[in-house]
Amino acid sequence: MADITLVEAITQALAYEMRKDKDVVILGEDVGKDGGVFRATLGLLNEFGPERVRDTPLAESMIAGLAIGMAAQGLKPVAEFQFMGFIYPAYDQIVNHAARIRNRTRGRLSCPVVFRTPYGAGIHAPEHHSESTEAIFAHIPGLRVVVPSSPARAYGLLLASIRDPDPVIFLEPSRLYRWAKQEVPDDGKALPLDVCFTLRVGTDVTLVTWGAMVKETLAAADTLAKQGISAEVIDVATIKPLDIETILASVEKTGRCVIIHEAARSCGVGADISAQIAERGLMFLQAPVQRVTGYDTIVPYARLEKLYIPNEKQILAAVTNVMEFA
Amino acid sequence: MADITLVEAITQALAYEMRKDKDVVILGEDVGKDGGVFRATLGLLNEFGPERVRDTPLAESMIAGLAIGMAAQGLKPVAEFQFMGFIYPAYDQIVNHAARIRNRTRGRLSCPVVFRTPYGAGIHAPEHHSESTEAIFAHIPGLRVVVPSSPARAYGLLLASIRDPDPVIFLEPSRLYRWAKQEVPDDGKALPLDVCFTLRVGTDVTLVTWGAMVKETLAAADTLAKQGISAEVIDVATIKPLDIETILASVEKTGRCVIIHEAARSCGVGADISAQIAERGLMFLQAPVQRVTGYDTIVPYARLEKLYIPNEKQILAAVTNVMEFA
Amino acid sequence: MNVVAKFEIPYYQCLDESSILHGNLPDSVKDTKQLVKLYRLMVLLRIFDTKAIALQRTGKLGTYPSTRGQEAVFVGMGAALANDDVFVPYYRDVGTLIQRGVKLSDILLYWGGDERGNCYHKDSEDFPYSVPVGSQPLHGAGIATALKIRGEKRAVLVTCGDGASSQGDFYEALNVAGAWKLPIVFVVSNNQWAISVPRSAQSASQTIAQKAVAAGIEGEQVDGNDVIAVCDRVTLALKKAREKNEPVLLEILSYRQSDHTTADDASRYEPQGIREKEWLKEPIGRMRKYLEAAKLWDEEKEKALQAECSVDVEGVVKEYLNTPPQSPESMFDSLYAKLPDIYLEQREQLIQKEIVAHG
Amino acid sequence: MNVVAKFEIPYYQCLDESSILHGNLPDSVKDTKQLVKLYRLMVLLRIFDTKAIALQRTGKLGTYPSTRGQEAVFVGMGAALANDDVFVPYYRDVGTLIQRGVKLSDILLYWGGDERGNCYHKDSEDFPYSVPVGSQPLHGAGIATALKIRGEKRAVLVTCGDGASSQGDFYEALNVAGAWKLPIVFVVSNNQWAISVPRSAQSASQTIAQKAVAAGIEGEQVDGNDVIAVCDRVTLALKKAREKNEPVLLEILSYRQSDHTTADDASRYEPQGIREKEWLKEPIGRMRKYLEAAKLWDEEKEKALQAECSVDVEGVVKEYLNTPPQSPESMFDSLYAKLPDIYLEQREQLIQKEIVAHG
Ligand SMILES: Cc1ncc(C[n+]2csc(CCOP(=O)(O)OP(=O)(O)O)c2C)c(N)n1
Ligand SMILES: Cc1ncc(C[n+]2csc(CCOP(=O)(O)OP(=O)(O)O)c2C)c(N)n1
Ligand SMILES: [Mg+2]
Ligand SMILES: [Mg+2]
């Protein structure tokens, strides 16, 4: 079996589930012949035809609104937004309807939609192509927010998201789309939607992260290992609902925690994790939790974007801080 | 001088600034003859005419987009959304444009708009009329987020917001619109946009809150005083940028902190405040910071909404927790 | 200069302002039983409406939007729908909903602030009221997409007000319905007002029907005080949608003979005299006069009907007022198919809060 | 059935596919200097375009959207604008921008990933490129509202693509422009594609021009390979906007003779042969043939122009490549009029980060 990239794992999961379940339908801009601007839906039009792989007119609120109606009829739409910066016109439909239809009807109707979109900076694209605003969905009751960071997790979490009976915001770190390859058996096995993944076991410090920052965080853990510091690395992966127990258990063990995310700092998801640790873990914290995050500024155009994204050095500096805290 | 309500203070501020500055223009649904569904713009059409008090077609993205264009021309639009639950169609225009025009043009163009909207639950209105989603704006660089909680602060903060050269999300707690009256001199004096208001000075515990929850929090402080507990009450008022220094100074003094907000708990603004206290104030914390918040659920329809909103008892229980922590 | 495209917007009316029928009764409303049924429903609606407003005034109901003057619109639409069509209403509709098997007591429950008013019957595929103005046409288009993918010969009927026709979502829905040839009928119930904003201030378009032109679909105006025309045009449009996947936009013209809702006071902005003038076209009187002329109705029947409706509505109110409250934790119980564990603690706290509050 | 409204969509062309002028030269383009200027600009644009693509291919520029085939659209519009009108472009426009005093090197700077490409000259009131498709018509309407409130006799020109015409914001902007009688001209540059989605899949409307009907404003189609017609129709529309506050929607028809951007590969979806067929209508050759027939142009002039443009473009590229980088803290320095104190620490950290990275 050949190794595949994260974006290929997405395609593989879509194809698997479409073969298995005729209710799965894809819609979005350029998802058909073009296979999507990142080729995530490559080949699906050929295999499943234009009824199930639907190029839409150019309107994001429409994409979300259609998906909601389709889902209420029992279809399982997978809607693609071309970049996260273009999901905002759909925010009303997602927040006011997708997240609420089940509750509004006390369970009579439901909204099993997956809203997929590439996310994050680092691919030298124009403005609005670099957003990491998972927090604006993580705050909304009724939604799930999922962020894969490896081909295998992309495959398993996307399957789970499609099968989940509720709306899922599925954020694909575009910087990782073709970063690392991995063997991903096409076995249709889903991963759980509310459990963090512990990528490295460690004893001295807990590094909590998700999305593309998993890359820098793992690199930092490697460097730390060489320095004799044993870092536990947790990929949150399911931002909402958030599996705080796994994180707390780890921090109880290590006594130290650094949270790393690419999104702007203020009111980012890192704040919520930090707050929960502070509320429930104050007793075993040996140093204040540190956040390494994007700045509270607009992601700059391509030339400066690298400076925006947190890097390994920043993570190491934060770890040094928590290790040396007295 | 007669005492006035919060909503009357809004009207007074609007009228004051429109008299002083001909560039101030109001737009929104029903802001004209009707004076707005809460009467916040009452009488303004008569005084300033239909060019400056503009009833719009029914479209929120349009309201925001128009305001952005008007502001780039040097007007100072005050745009009203009828309820916060209807601001979401404008989210794209606010986040992708209002918040970014200055940065995008390196300061050549700017966006001095105030986006006003009633906010919060507790007025027995239908679905979508009870939102407290300040966090989805507090996360966005380039915006300011302001929440008044008394007639005087409504007046002074609205004046400051209109005069501010950048976009401000101005959230008016509808539950407080006609709650308490106060004398508010029409002197055109603005209040600062990035300083918390310490409403009560205290020594034992810091209660941090904003918006309609100021009401329950002050009541709790009264009760605590009777029990011999001296609570410092901080009305954050300017959610973004957040004046963490005032909060930290208070917590340094009291050693204990409870944060109270109406919005859903996960990724609410309270999380960010708690995280910042944990990062910078761990040394002087005598108990974990507690959050008393709305639940992670959709604000229920009128019959159950009272149960949704945090009450004084919950605040007192949290204070007991932090006081008894050992 | 060449002309590359031409369009016309038709207007339909059967029963004119003086209750004179122009042409024959259309096929869909030929049956005299059907005629009487439409009339009876309109009367029921008005009696219910009056009662609902009274309930609100006495603190027994929340904000409520009256249907007064728009009875023909909602009743006519409801009669045109087939059982297995899917209906996507906006908040002002009672007349279609009751023909969809929704209990009047559920409608009161909804406006009384209880989500269970949206439960309808278990098998209903209809959407509940959607409060955000203009958001529902896209849901309708999505449902129609599903029906078409499955090759079912069913149609969707989605409604909104004239104000809603200014929302981007409205146009996006028309546009995709045209592009995808969806089995859907869009109805704009043009009652001339969006709260205080008159129709003329919403748009410079001479008609709302012509907004269909932007999407390359058919648009027509219908007299909304004429229940026969409404029922017929909606029937034909649904047939077209079902059989040919041709979407249609119907602008149905009437007048809001009330405040926007019980929270509104139209005297602040409604010019004097209009309402009275428009009342002359009002749908119930118009139909009654026609039925009486056709010897299908008389004073006695009217009295009996009024009495019957009043009794029915009293029953409905009783049912509504006697509905046991929802449990506090119902707030969590339909949030997800299965509530994620991390929210269980909050759910428990909520139950405790309720006990403390009443304990 | 009565007809309550009727509409026609006209189509305008001056110079046909064979470079034959139908009728007289319109007033706005009568001047031979003007004719030659339009031609020269189109040639400059194409040479610049070729160069920009080459820069991208060699890693010296980011993603870039070609204007190939659409030169007449952008050049014609730019020539029609008055200096004190306000222009709101979308990302594909170079030809109007250069007539607004924007340096070609700034356009490269923008696509090279540097915000300073949006600075233009200090006094410019024009908007920069807006990437979110369909978002800019509302900004244009807002600007037009400001101009009208102030009673200034200026107009706004706002542009977008055919794909953008499916966005709700687009319709909302047309609608308010009609309702408020705003001094604005909307141009849809219909290049037949929105990335891989053909015009026919965007909408069932026979023309995009007819979307104006929804807003009760005028709409017309213009041959976008005919720079004379483009310049004239935009000139007249702007005049109408300025003088009578009558908004107009112009659909300008051409063909995208390129990939969507350098990140795209149109061979994946563009049917074979279309591009070549459409090339026969291409604007530059068409205009050259006309100018030559009118003895306003010849081979020698062409050679000189080509050489001149190449030199100019080389200069522009040099200027672009030699632009010193922005400081890291520029990321914060235009975020607010005055950066709130609480962000100063982050700004400082950023400066340190840069020093560490390069130290
Ligand atoms: C998106 C949104 N914006 C604003 C409101 C507040 N609002 C409720 S009804 C209404 C007017 C709607 O008018 P129209 O569409 O004509 O329907 P009608 O009520 O007249 O039947 C408004 C502005 C809302 N519910 N949703
Ligand atoms: C809101 C939004 N959605 C999606 C995109 C991605 N995107 C960029 S250009 C484009 C196609 C635009 O087509 P059209 O409007 O016809 O303009 P053209 O590029 O053909 O000139 C798309 C989908 C975007 N930039 N903005
Ligand atoms: Mg209306
Ligand atoms: Mg195009």
Side-chain angles (χ1 to χ4, degrees):
Chain A
M1 197 187 315
D3 287 354
I4 61 174
T5 61
L6 196 157
V7 69
E8 286 163 348
I10 298 286
T11 318
Q12 180 173 302
L14 290 170
Y16 182 95
E17 204 61 10
M18 290 183 82
R19 271 174 219 134
K20 218 196 65 178
D21 183 350
K22 67 168 190 354
D23 286 333
V24 179
V25 173
I26 286 173
L27 71 163
E29 295 156 12
D30 305 290
V31 296
K33 264 197 197 159
D34 198 39
V37 290
F38 285 104
R39 312 290 175 249
T41 54
L42 197 69
L44 300 181
L45 174 68
N46 267 348
E47 182 171 352
F48 302 103
E51 287 290 302
R52 291 182 64 198
V53 182
R54 308 181 75 94
D55 271 338
T56 62
L58 207 172
E60 284 77 11
S61 184
M62 182 206 72
I63 292 172
L66 284 173
I68 291 165
M70 291 160 77
Q73 276 290 317
L75 293 180
K76 294 181 187 155
V78 181
E80 175 176 308
F81 299 99
Q82 216 151 62
F83 285 91
M84 192 171 197
F86 309 135
I87 206 173
Y88 305 133
Y91 195 69
D92 178 53
Q93 286 288 350
I94 294 173
V95 169
N96 266 343
H97 297 292
R100 288 166 169 257
I101 283 283
R102 178 187 296 279
N103 188 68
R104 185 178 298 154
T105 59
R106 304 280 96 161
R108 178 170 59 87
L109 300 175
S110 64
C111 189
V113 178
V114 180
F115 299 103
R116 288 181 48 238
T117 188
Y119 132 103
I123 57 162
H124 296 280
E127 195 182 346
H128 305 286
H129 292 68
S130 309
E131 314 297 301
S132 303
T133 40
E134 63 271 21
I136 64 164
F137 292 107
H139 185 52
I140 304 299
L143 297 179
R144 289 178 177 271
V145 182
V146 177
V147 189
S149 65
S150 75
R153 286 193 292 283
Y155 179 80
L157 290 171
L158 183 52
L159 286 178
S161 297
I162 301 174
R163 291 172 196 168
D164 190 84
D166 290 304
V168 179
I169 310 288
F170 195 85
L171 305 172
E172 303 166 5
S174 47
R175 189 152 62 90
L176 302 192
Y177 262 154
R178 299 187 168 84
W179 169 53
K181 292 195 171 197
Q182 186 177 24
E183 202 179 284
V184 183
D186 195 12
D187 55 10
K189 286 215 185 102
L191 288 166
L193 278 190
D194 37 22
V195 179
C196 293
F197 296 88
T198 303
L199 304 184
R200 291 284 162 89
V201 176
T203 51
D204 297 331
V205 60
T206 303
L207 306 182
V208 177
T209 189
W210 57 90
M213 291 314 301
V214 165
K215 182 170 173 248
E216 283 75 13
T217 305
L218 287 174
D222 287 342
T223 306
L224 289 169
K226 284 180 208 137
Q227 298 171 3
I229 296 173
S230 160
E232 183 141 308
V233 177
I234 295 180
D235 175 7
V236 174
T238 49
I239 302 292
K240 186 184 190 75
L242 182 83
D243 168 24
I244 192 70
E245 299 306 332
T246 297
I247 296 171
L248 280 174
S250 174
V251 178
E252 179 160 9
K253 178 175 67 174
T254 62
R256 297 179 160 89
C257 180
V258 175
I259 301 165
I260 303 108
H261 64 64
E262 188 179 308
R265 183 181 196 79
S266 290
C267 295
V269 174
D272 198 71
I273 297 174
S274 175
Q276 292 199 57
I277 296 174
E279 275 157 21
R280 298 178 46 193
L282 193 67
M283 308 70 77
F284 44 74
L285 270 185
Q286 292 170 39
V289 174
Q290 297 262 312
R291 287 181 284 164
V292 177
T293 69
Y295 299 104
D296 280 315
T297 191
I298 291 158
V299 184
Y301 290 10
R303 289 210 183 169
L304 291 178
E305 72 175 331
K306 220 182 133 192
L307 265 174
Y308 173 87
I309 301 171
N311 62 23
E312 191 193 330
K313 284 216 180 91
Q314 287 169 275
I315 302 170
L316 293 173
V319 171
T320 304
N321 275 347
V322 298
M323 293 309 293
E324 291 176 355
F325 184 84
Chain B
M1 196 185 317
D3 286 355
I4 61 175
T5 61
L6 197 156
V7 70
E8 286 162 348
I10 298 284
T11 317
Q12 180 172 303
L14 290 170
Y16 183 94
E17 204 60 9
M18 290 184 82
R19 273 174 217 135
K20 216 195 67 174
D21 183 349
K22 68 168 189 356
D23 286 331
V24 178
V25 173
I26 286 174
L27 71 164
E29 294 154 12
D30 306 290
V31 296
K33 262 195 197 162
D34 197 39
V37 289
F38 284 104
R39 311 290 174 250
T41 54
L42 198 69
L44 301 182
L45 174 69
N46 267 349
E47 181 170 353
F48 302 102
E51 287 292 299
R52 292 181 65 199
V53 182
R54 307 181 74 93
D55 270 338
T56 63
L58 206 171
E60 285 76 11
S61 184
M62 184 206 70
I63 292 172
L66 284 173
I68 291 165
M70 291 161 78
Q73 277 289 316
L75 294 180
K76 294 181 186 155
V78 181
E80 176 175 308
F81 300 99
Q82 215 151 62
F83 285 91
M84 191 170 197
F86 309 136
I87 205 173
Y88 305 132
Y91 195 68
D92 179 53
Q93 285 288 350
I94 294 172
V95 169
N96 266 343
H97 297 291
R100 289 166 169 256
I101 282 283
R102 179 188 294 281
N103 188 67
R104 185 178 297 152
T105 59
R106 305 279 96 164
R108 178 169 60 85
L109 300 176
S110 64
C111 189
V113 178
V114 180
F115 298 103
R116 289 181 48 238
T117 188
Y119 131 104
I123 57 162
H124 297 279
E127 195 183 347
H128 304 285
H129 292 65
S130 309
E131 314 298 302
S132 304
T133 41
E134 63 271 21
I136 65 164
F137 292 108
H139 185 51
I140 304 299
L143 297 179
R144 289 178 178 273
V145 182
V146 177
V147 189
S149 64
S150 76
R153 287 193 292 284
Y155 180 78
L157 290 171
L158 182 52
L159 285 179
S161 298
I162 300 174
R163 292 172 195 168
D164 191 83
D166 291 304
V168 178
I169 310 289
F170 195 85
L171 305 171
E172 303 166 5
S174 48
R175 188 153 62 90
L176 302 192
Y177 263 153
R178 299 189 168 84
W179 170 52
K181 292 195 173 198
Q182 186 177 23
E183 202 178 286
V184 183
D186 195 10
D187 55 9
K189 286 213 185 104
L191 287 166
L193 279 190
D194 37 21
V195 179
C196 293
F197 296 87
T198 302
L199 304 185
R200 290 284 164 89
V201 176
T203 51
D204 297 332
V205 60
T206 303
L207 307 182
V208 177
T209 189
W210 57 90
M213 291 312 302
V214 164
K215 182 170 173 246
E216 282 76 12
T217 304
L218 286 174
D222 287 342
T223 307
L224 288 168
K226 284 180 209 136
Q227 298 170 3
I229 297 173
S230 160
E232 183 142 308
V233 177
I234 295 181
D235 175 7
V236 174
T238 49
I239 300 292
K240 185 183 188 74
L242 182 84
D243 168 24
I244 192 69
E245 299 306 332
T246 297
I247 297 171
L248 279 174
S250 174
V251 179
E252 181 161 7
K253 178 174 68 174
T254 62
R256 297 180 159 89
C257 181
V258 175
I259 302 166
I260 303 107
H261 65 64
E262 187 177 310
R265 184 179 195 80
S266 290
C267 295
V269 174
D272 199 71
I273 297 173
S274 174
Q276 291 199 58
I277 297 173
E279 275 156 23
R280 298 178 47 193
L282 193 65
M283 308 70 77
F284 45 75
L285 270 186
Q286 292 171 39
V289 174
Q290 298 262 314
R291 287 182 285 164
V292 177
T293 69
Y295 300 103
D296 281 314
T297 191
I298 292 158
V299 185
Y301 290 9
R303 290 213 183 169
L304 291 179
E305 71 176 331
K306 219 181 135 195
L307 266 175
Y308 172 87
I309 301 171
N311 62 22
E312 190 192 332
K313 284 217 180 91
Q314 286 170 279
I315 301 171
L316 293 173
V319 171
T320 305
N321 275 346
V322 298
M323 295 307 293
E324 292 177 356
F325 185 82
Chain C
M1 183 200 106
N2 290 320
V3 169
V4 285
K6 283 189 179 194
F7 309 95
E8 287 185 354
I9 304 299
Y11 173 86
Y12 292 94
Q13 184 189 59
C14 296
L15 211 57
D16 73 13
E17 284 76 355
S18 319
S19 301
I20 309 231
L21 186 71
H22 293 256
N24 295 326
L25 278 173
D27 280 354
S28 60
V29 205
K30 233 174 17 204
D31 184 46
T32 55
K33 273 207 204 106
Q34 171 80 338
L35 285 170
V36 171
K37 183 188 122 191
L38 292 174
Y39 177 72
R40 294 178 64 103
L41 277 170
M42 291 198 293
V43 170
L44 172 63
L45 213 56
R46 190 162 295 171
I47 290 173
F48 172 79
D49 193 71
T50 310
K51 185 71 199 178
I53 292 169
L55 285 172
Q56 193 281 333
R57 299 287 182 232
T58 52
K60 297 200 184 93
L61 196 69
T63 304
Y64 167 83
S66 170
T67 58
R68 190 173 177 85
Q70 291 176 252
E71 293 88 351
V73 182
F74 303 125
V75 166
M77 286 198 300
L81 271 166
N83 269 342
D84 67 350
D85 289 337
V86 184
F87 181 54
V88 183
Y90 82 119
Y91 50 81
R92 199 177 294 282
D93 190 328
V94 177
T96 314
L97 281 196
I98 51 173
Q99 297 178 75
R100 303 296 292 168
V102 178
K103 296 193 294 181
L104 281 170
S105 57
D106 277 347
I107 292 168
L108 290 177
L109 208 54
Y110 175 86
W111 294 112
D114 189 320
E115 289 82 353
R116 289 172 301 175
N118 294 324
C119 289
Y120 301 174
H121 47 97
K122 206 174 93 301
D123 299 328
S124 170
E125 297 173 25
D126 293 350
F127 265 48
Y129 289 142
S130 177
V131 171
V133 168
S135 57
Q136 55 285 82
L138 283 172
H139 305 158
I143 297 168
T145 304
L147 300 179
K148 190 175 177 188
I149 288 178
R150 297 209 177 105
E152 301 178 9
K153 289 277 165 243
R154 303 159 63 193
V156 178
L157 179 68
V158 57
T159 65
C160 63
D162 46 309
S165 76
S166 295
Q167 284 280 18
D169 279 8
F170 172 80
Y171 298 98
E172 291 182 2
L174 293 186
N175 190 58
V176 72
W180 288 4
K181 287 186 113 295
L182 297 178
I184 183 167
V185 176
F186 299 92
V187 164
V188 173
S189 175
N190 178 358
N191 63 6
Q192 322 275 352
W193 292 97
I195 308 188
S196 73
V197 179
R199 160 63 184 85
S200 58
Q202 282 298 335
S203 180
S205 68
Q206 301 91 315
T207 66
I208 291 178
Q210 77 201 51
K211 291 180 190 271
V213 171
I217 69 175
E218 294 293 314
E220 55 184 64
Q221 243 185 6
V222 182
D223 181 349
N225 288 311
D226 171 1
V227 72
I228 298 175
V230 172
C231 183
D232 186 49
R233 296 314 303 173
V234 179
T235 301
L236 293 177
L238 283 167
K239 194 164 138 68
K240 228 170 159 176
R242 269 182 233 116
E243 293 175 5
K244 301 202 235 163
N245 284 317
E246 283 180 14
V248 182
L249 169 63
L250 301 175
E251 174 188 6
I252 307 190
L253 270 164
S254 67
Y255 193 83
R256 195 187 77 197
Q257 291 286 347
S258 64
D259 297 333
H260 168 69
T261 65
T262 49
D264 178 49
D265 171 8
S267 72
R268 305 171 59 79
Y269 54 77
E270 189 180 19
Q272 283 208 329
I274 301 196
R275 204 186 279 188
E276 294 70 20
K277 213 183 107 210
E278 290 286 340
W279 184 254
L280 303 175
K281 307 184 201 155
E282 176 279 324
I284 296 185
R286 186 188 298 189
M287 187 66 170
R288 179 173 171 184
K289 200 166 147 196
Y290 170 76
L291 291 179
E292 285 178 347
K295 306 278 180 242
L296 294 166
W297 202 251
D298 56 29
E299 187 60 32
E300 199 174 325
K301 283 186 176 146
E302 181 69 22
K303 270 196 189 141
L305 175 62
Q306 293 276 346
E308 190 184 314
C309 290
S310 297
V311 170
D312 286 356
V313 167
E314 286 308 326
V316 157
V317 171
K318 207 167 282 167
E319 195 178 338
Y320 158 63
L321 294 174
N322 289 334
T323 311
Q326 288 187 100
S327 70
E329 63 272 27
S330 64
M331 238 185 255
F332 280 102
D333 290 344
S334 304
L335 194 58
Y336 296 90
K338 180 181 171 308
L339 189 67
D341 289 351
I342 67 155
Y343 304 124
L344 288 175
E345 193 183 326
Q346 292 189 16
R347 185 174 177 278
E348 190 50 40
Q349 286 166 356
L350 177 59
I351 296 171
Q352 292 308 322
K353 179 173 176 181
E354 164 73 350
I355 291 170
V356 172
H358 291 84
Chain D
M1 182 197 106
N2 290 320
V3 170
V4 283
K6 282 189 181 195
F7 309 95
E8 287 186 353
I9 303 300
Y11 173 86
Y12 292 94
Q13 183 189 56
C14 297
L15 211 56
D16 73 12
E17 283 76 356
S18 320
S19 301
I20 308 227
L21 187 71
H22 293 258
N24 296 326
L25 278 173
D27 282 353
S28 60
V29 206
K30 232 175 14 204
D31 184 45
T32 56
K33 273 207 207 107
Q34 170 81 337
L35 285 171
V36 172
K37 183 188 123 191
L38 293 173
Y39 178 71
R40 294 177 63 102
L41 277 170
M42 291 198 292
V43 170
L44 173 63
L45 213 57
R46 190 162 296 170
I47 290 172
F48 172 79
D49 193 71
T50 311
K51 185 70 199 178
I53 293 170
L55 285 171
Q56 193 278 335
R57 297 290 182 230
T58 52
K60 297 198 183 95
L61 196 71
T63 304
Y64 167 84
S66 171
T67 58
R68 190 175 178 84
Q70 289 176 252
E71 293 87 353
V73 182
F74 301 126
V75 166
M77 284 197 302
L81 271 167
N83 270 342
D84 67 350
D85 289 337
V86 183
F87 182 53
V88 184
Y90 80 120
Y91 50 83
R92 199 178 292 282
D93 190 328
V94 177
T96 314
L97 281 197
I98 52 173
Q99 297 179 75
R100 304 295 293 168
V102 178
K103 296 193 295 180
L104 281 170
S105 57
D106 277 348
I107 293 168
L108 290 177
L109 208 55
Y110 176 85
W111 294 112
D114 188 320
E115 288 83 352
R116 288 172 302 174
N118 294 325
C119 289
Y120 302 176
H121 48 97
K122 205 174 94 297
D123 298 329
S124 170
E125 296 174 24
D126 292 351
F127 264 49
Y129 289 143
S130 178
V131 171
V133 168
S135 56
Q136 55 282 87
L138 283 172
H139 306 158
I143 297 168
T145 304
L147 299 180
K148 190 175 178 189
I149 287 178
R150 296 209 177 103
E152 301 178 11
K153 289 277 166 242
R154 302 158 65 194
V156 178
L157 179 67
V158 58
T159 65
C160 63
D162 46 307
S165 75
S166 295
Q167 284 281 19
D169 278 8
F170 172 81
Y171 297 97
E172 291 182 2
L174 292 186
N175 189 57
V176 73
W180 287 3
K181 286 186 114 295
L182 297 179
I184 183 167
V185 176
F186 299 92
V187 164
V188 173
S189 176
N190 177 358
N191 64 5
Q192 322 275 353
W193 293 98
I195 308 187
S196 73
V197 178
R199 161 62 183 88
S200 58
Q202 282 298 335
S203 180
S205 67
Q206 302 91 315
T207 66
I208 291 178
Q210 79 201 48
K211 292 180 188 270
V213 170
I217 69 175
E218 293 293 313
E220 54 184 64
Q221 242 185 5
V222 182
D223 182 349
N225 288 310
D226 171 2
V227 72
I228 297 175
V230 172
C231 183
D232 186 51
R233 296 314 304 175
V234 179
T235 301
L236 294 176
L238 283 167
K239 195 164 137 65
K240 226 169 157 176
R242 269 182 232 113
E243 294 176 4
K244 299 202 239 164
N245 285 318
E246 283 180 13
V248 182
L249 168 63
L250 301 176
E251 174 188 6
I252 308 192
L253 270 165
S254 66
Y255 193 82
R256 194 187 76 197
Q257 289 287 345
S258 64
D259 297 333
H260 168 68
T261 65
T262 50
D264 178 47
D265 172 8
S267 72
R268 304 171 58 80
Y269 53 77
E270 190 180 18
Q272 283 207 328
I274 302 196
R275 204 185 279 188
E276 293 71 20
K277 212 183 107 209
E278 290 286 340
W279 184 254
L280 303 174
K281 306 185 204 155
E282 175 280 325
I284 297 186
R286 184 187 301 187
M287 186 66 168
R288 179 173 172 185
K289 202 168 145 194
Y290 170 74
L291 291 179
E292 285 179 348
K295 306 278 178 238
L296 293 166
W297 203 251
D298 57 27
E299 186 59 31
E300 200 174 324
K301 284 188 175 143
E302 179 71 19
K303 269 194 189 145
L305 175 62
Q306 293 276 344
E308 191 185 310
C309 290
S310 295
V311 170
D312 286 357
V313 168
E314 285 309 325
V316 158
V317 171
K318 208 167 280 165
E319 194 178 338
Y320 160 62
L321 293 174
N322 289 334
T323 311
Q326 288 188 98
S327 69
E329 63 272 27
S330 65
M331 235 184 259
F332 280 101
D333 290 345
S334 305
L335 193 59
Y336 296 89
K338 179 180 171 306
L339 189 67
D341 289 351
I342 67 154
Y343 303 125
L344 288 174
E345 193 184 326
Q346 292 189 17
R347 185 174 178 278
E348 190 49 41
Q349 286 166 356
L350 177 60
I351 296 171
Q352 294 307 323
K353 180 174 175 179
E354 164 73 349
I355 290 170
V356 171
H358 290 86

